Every structure is written in C-alpha cells, then in structure tokens.
Amino acid sequence: MNATSFDGAPDATGPGAPAPSTDPGRIVLLTTSHRVAPGLLSWPAWQALRGADQVLCADGAHPQLPYLREAGIAVDEASPTAQELVDACAGGRTLVVVATGEGEPRLTDGLARLAGSGRIQMPDLELLPASYDLPGARLLDLVQVMDRIRAECPWSSQQTHKGLAKYGIEEAYELVEAIEEGDRDELREELGDVLLQVVFHARIAEEDEDAPFSIDDVAGGIVAKLIHRHPHVFGDETATTPEEVKEHWLRTKAVEKQRTSVTEGVPLGQPGLALAAKLASRVRTAGLDVELPRGEGVGYELLATAARAEAEGVDPEAALRAAARAYRDAIRAAEGSSGADAGD
C-alpha cells in the first residue's frame, strides 16, 4: 500500500519520479449488517479489502474493525470529504470505505454532487454489500427493542401475562377486521401489533422464577411442531390435496396430544358462534354421530345455525360480521337521509 495523503499528491515526487497516472481510481463503499455476526463477510468483500490501497473507517468503534485487523487488514480511522477521497484515488488507487451504521450519507451525497457537476473525472464508484440480512432479520431488532422497553419503560416493566391478555384479543380482532376490509396497509400494521404481543409475552416469560422461557423457545417449539405436522414436506409422506394435508395434521396432532375427547383443546372462552362451529367441526372430522341438543331459546337456534354453516363450509362468525357490516352501512345511510330531510 502506497502512502498517499487525502489531497491525492503521491509521496514520491521529484525529477526522477514517474509521470502521474491519469487513472481516476476506484472508491468502494463497503456496507455491513449489524444483524450478522461481525467478520462474516462475503468473498467479494474480502477481495476488495485485501486488494485496496487504503481502507478507511470513520468510526473507530465499528464492530467490524477488530476482525478486519485480525485478518491483517490495516484500517485507517478517517472521515475524508468527498473531494479528499476523490483526490486520494488519483493515479489509479483503490480506496475502500467501511461504512458506519448510518451508511455515510454525507460522503455519498458529496460524491453525487461532484459527479453531477461534470467538472472532474470521477473514480469508479461501487457499493459493495459485505453482509446481507436474511429473511426475518428485523425480528432481531424487535427483540432488542422489547428488551429495552421492558427494562426502561415504567408501564411496560410492570405488565404481566394476565394484564396483557385483553390486548391480545383486541389485536386479533383488529387483524381480522383488516383482513375482511382488504386494507393492505392496515393488515401490515395489525400483523405487527399481533407480533408485538407474542414478543412481549415471551419477554415477560424470561423473568419467571419457576419456568422461564424466551422468544427462542417459542420459535423453536413452533418450528418443531410445523416440521412434525408436515411429514409430506419434511418427511416421506405424500399429500396432494388440502384434505390429505389436514388428515396428516390431525393424525400427528392426535399422537402428540394423546387426548381422550375431541373436545379437548377447544377454548370455551372464544365467541359463541366460533365455539359452536369448532365443536361441530371436531364431531364431523371424527366421524361421530352426535345429535344437536334440543331446547327452547335463541341459543339453541344459534347453535343449529352455526353447525349448519360449518357443514356447508361457511365461517359463521365471518358471515355474521359481513351481515353486521351491511347493517351498519344501512344505519349510516338512514342517518344520512334523515339529516338531508332535516335540512330541507
């Protein structure tokens, strides 16, 4: 690596020095993800680092620096301007800038202005991602944020599973509403709210003295369950229709739970129509012949309606909500016409 100052003037000068090259050089902006362990860089990144005439980093505490230096890469702590960086590349030199977490916006904006001016010959500019976020990487951010909120927020630090239970129900209903309304932006937001409930409960569970568990335990449990209940995906079983998939699911679930009744695992606290439909579904799937109880009153009528809806493949809760929305719209229309009449 030839020592060069940021004004681009080579140290070797004088009558015997070779004529300066007109090659404008190359600038490589190296970006990394804080969600990937430091030092785990792509092969092109290591090639660029080892082939550079100079490696720069504005942040002396950058998490990558110890690993780069351990690999024999000399890194200079410096924060040159765009013009200084361009000058330092003169003569065909390659400079690699290890970007900070903010991505070096001051430097990239300055380089863009220089390139747009048309007054100078710009070096080759390359943005080289050295590590990438894998799908789901932002979940790590959520876990970290939840850790801090649990530790520092006066309200969040006092919450319990029981205290949060009502919010889980509310968020689930808001998610269903977003799905039924077809609002994509609202759907994304409500999915985030439901996810927050999962992470929040898992964070609280870490503090339990008798039976603690973490978000990793939660994720590990559902991963194991999904793999076990999809032998047609992860095993040697075969399923070509949704009905066969459901059969695999129910069979493996029965082995796991070792239940003595098809009613086990059906939460009685769910809405009445959903509860009735779920029980009817369990009866039908198990091939049982169970007559609906007969009695007086609306409750028994609703039970029969829910069972009929389930047999016809209709979600009675969704059907009733759709009808209720139509009723709501009719009410609003009536209110609007009433207001118009009052103004005549």
Side-chain angles (χ1 to χ4, degrees), residues 22-35:
T22 58
D23 185 345
R26 176 173 171 239
I27 299 173
V28 179
L29 183 63
L30 198 71
T31 61
T32 58
S33 170
H34 68 277
R35 303 177 190 93

Side-chain angles (χ1 to χ4, degrees), residues 85-148:
L85 198 61
V86 169
D87 293 341
C89 289
R93 301 178 76 246
T94 295
L95 269 68
V96 173
V97 177
V98 179
T100 59
E102 292 75 24
E104 306 295 343
R106 181 182 66 86
L107 182 59
T108 54
D109 289 348
L111 290 171
R113 285 193 295 271
L114 289 177
S117 70
R119 296 193 302 270
I120 63 173
Q121 185 179 12
M122 291 291 292
D124 292 334
L125 303 176
E126 179 182 356
L127 175 63
L128 180 58
S131 58
Y132 302 83
D133 286 344
L134 295 175
R138 293 306 301 271
L139 294 175
L140 299 176
D141 292 345
L142 176 57
V143 172
Q144 291 177 347
V145 169
M146 190 68 251
D147 278 341
R148 183 168 179 179

Side-chain angles (χ1 to χ4, degrees), residues 239-256:
T240 57
T241 66
E243 290 73 22
E244 290 178 347
V245 172
K246 186 174 183 180
E247 181 182 342
H248 284 315
W249 181 276
L250 293 175
R251 186 170 61 249
T252 55
K253 184 176 181 180
V255 173
E256 290 173 9

Side-chain angles (χ1 to χ4, degrees), residues 5-255:
S5 61
F6 284 120
D7 63 6
D11 286 346
T13 58
S21 169
T22 58
D23 185 345
R26 176 173 171 239
I27 299 173
V28 179
L29 183 63
L30 198 71
T31 61
T32 58
S33 170
H34 68 277
R35 303 177 190 93
V36 177
L40 297 180
L41 307 180
S42 65
W43 177 240
W46 284 115
Q47 287 180 309
L49 288 163
R50 293 192 181 280
D53 292 289
Q54 192 171 10
V55 179
L56 308 172
C57 183
D59 180 9
H62 196 293
Q64 295 288 351
L65 296 191
Y67 299 91
L68 298 184
R69 287 166 177 154
E70 184 178 353
I73 306 295
V75 183
D76 297 324
E77 184 179 344
S79 182
T81 65
Q83 184 64 62
E84 290 172 339
L85 198 61
V86 169
D87 293 341
C89 289
R93 301 178 76 246
T94 295
L95 269 68
V96 173
V97 177
V98 179
T100 59
E102 292 75 24
E104 306 295 343
R106 181 182 66 86
L107 182 59
T108 54
D109 289 348
L111 290 171
R113 285 193 295 271
L114 289 177
S117 70
R119 296 193 302 270
I120 63 173
Q121 185 179 12
M122 291 291 292
D124 292 334
L125 303 176
E126 179 182 356
L127 175 63
L128 180 58
S131 58
Y132 302 83
D133 286 344
L134 295 175
R138 293 306 301 271
L139 294 175
L140 299 176
D141 292 345
L142 176 57
V143 172
Q144 291 177 347
V145 169
M146 190 68 251
D147 278 341
R148 183 168 179 179
I149 290 175
R150 178 65 173 175
E152 300 180 18
C153 173
W155 183 84
S156 299
S157 62
Q158 300 299 315
Q159 295 309 302
T160 64
H161 294 303
K162 289 183 178 180
L164 290 178
K166 61 180 180 181
Y167 300 110
I169 296 173
E170 290 174 3
E171 299 299 353
Y173 277 127
E174 289 176 6
L175 172 61
V176 171
E177 183 176 0
I179 293 172
E180 293 178 345
E181 294 288 347
D183 189 325
R184 301 292 295 177
D185 291 335
E186 193 72 15
L187 173 60
R188 183 178 63 247
E189 180 178 347
E190 297 304 335
L191 284 170
D193 290 343
V194 172
L195 179 59
L196 170 60
Q197 296 302 309
V198 175
V199 176
F200 203 161
H201 279 284
R203 178 61 183 82
I204 293 172
E206 291 184 30
E207 302 169 7
D208 189 273
E209 296 182 357
D210 300 321
F213 60 83
S214 69
I215 189 64
D216 289 317
D217 298 313
V218 173
I222 192 60
V223 166
K225 179 186 292 186
L226 288 173
I227 291 174
H228 183 62
R229 293 189 183 177
H230 288 78
H232 54 289
V233 176
F234 301 100
D236 299 328
E237 300 282 351
T238 300
T240 57
T241 66
E243 290 73 22
E244 290 178 347
V245 172
K246 186 174 183 180
E247 181 182 342
H248 284 315
W249 181 276
L250 293 175
R251 186 170 61 249
T252 55
K253 184 176 181 180
V255 173

